[in-house]
Structure formats: structure tokens, C-alpha cells
Amino acid sequence: VQLQASGGGLVQAGESLTLSCEVSGSFFLLGSMGWYRQAPGKERELVASITRGGVTKYTDSLKGRFTISRHNAKNTAYLQMNSLNSEDTAVYYCTTNAWPLIGKEEIYWGQGTLVTVSS
């Protein structure tokens, strides 16, 4: 199971950006998908998560600006980020729990995509 995050880049404060995370490989089922971020010098923190059925959860401070969604048929999750500010600068990681064809449920991580917001 591999996760490929994309969509990061350099944006100006106040602009928007959408991240994508596509899951590939051999698996039986994908469970919840989520986005975490890690800013320089800080610990990794949860941004948002979404269950297979579409139930979402957000870090309180990001509610209203960030929106997570997923397309189950495409095995892809998205993170729409609006009104970005310098505090949103971080490496964004996607994650999912999945059931491989053989074996037990595991948690998988993508490689991260860098978002830099200039003020």
C-alpha cells in the first residue's frame, strides 16, 4: 500500500491550496483517511480525518478554513485549505488505515508534501 501526496507548493497569505492523497497497491479495504502536518520545530499534529462513510473530524483551530473530502472509487483524499497564513507552513502528511489482501489492518503514511505560505 502506497500513499502519494501532492499539491503542495508556495502560496501567498490569503490564498487557497488543495492537497491530494492517492492510495495505490493491493489492499482489500481502505478505512479512515487523514491529514497531519508538521511545522518546523514542532510536533506532528492532526489536521483532519474522514471515515469511509464521510464522517469528518477537524482540529478545532482549523475548522471553517480547511475541508477534507474523499473519493472512495479513486482511493483518494483531498484537503482544501483556504485563507492560508504563515502558521500553516508545514509538511503535510496523509495517512490511512487499510486492510491488505493478506495480513491484518495497518496504518500507512505518505511521504509528505510541503506547503509554504509567504506573508
Side-chain angles (χ1 to χ4, degrees), residues 1 20 28 43 56 58 66-67 77 80 88 93 114-115:
V1 178
S20 299
F28 175 68
E43 295 186 352
T56 59
Y58 296 91
F66 288 18
T67 302
Q80 171 70 40
D88 297 316
Y93 299 91
L114 176 63
V115 174

Side-chain angles (χ1 to χ4, degrees), residues 57-96:
K57 182 172 69 174
Y58 296 91
T59 292
D60 286 344
S61 62
L62 299 177
K63 285 181 181 178
R65 288 199 302 124
F66 288 18
T67 302
I68 189 171
S69 60
R70 66 187 287 170
H71 192 305
N72 288 334
K74 294 183 178 181
N75 298 320
T76 300
Y78 306 93
L79 184 68
Q80 171 70 40
M81 305 182 293
N82 298 325
S83 302
L84 288 163
N85 59 63
S86 58
E87 294 186 350
D88 297 316
T89 294
V91 177
Y92 287 71
Y93 299 91
C94 61
T95 182
T96 186

Side-chain angles (χ1 to χ4, degrees), residues 18-76:
T18 299
L19 306 181
S20 299
C21 175
E22 181 178 7
V23 184
S24 62
S26 300
F27 51 88
F28 175 68
L29 185 68
L30 289 182
S32 294
M33 299 185 72
W35 289 94
Y36 283 72
R37 70 182 184 181
Q38 187 166 19
K42 295 187 178 181
E43 295 186 352
R44 190 174 298 189
E45 64 172 352
L46 173 69
V47 173
S49 65
I50 183 169
T51 68
R52 186 170 182 82
V55 177
T56 59
K57 182 172 69 174
Y58 296 91
T59 292
D60 286 344
S61 62
L62 299 177
K63 285 181 181 178
R65 288 199 302 124
F66 288 18
T67 302
I68 189 171
S69 60
R70 66 187 287 170
H71 192 305
N72 288 334
K74 294 183 178 181
N75 298 320
T76 300

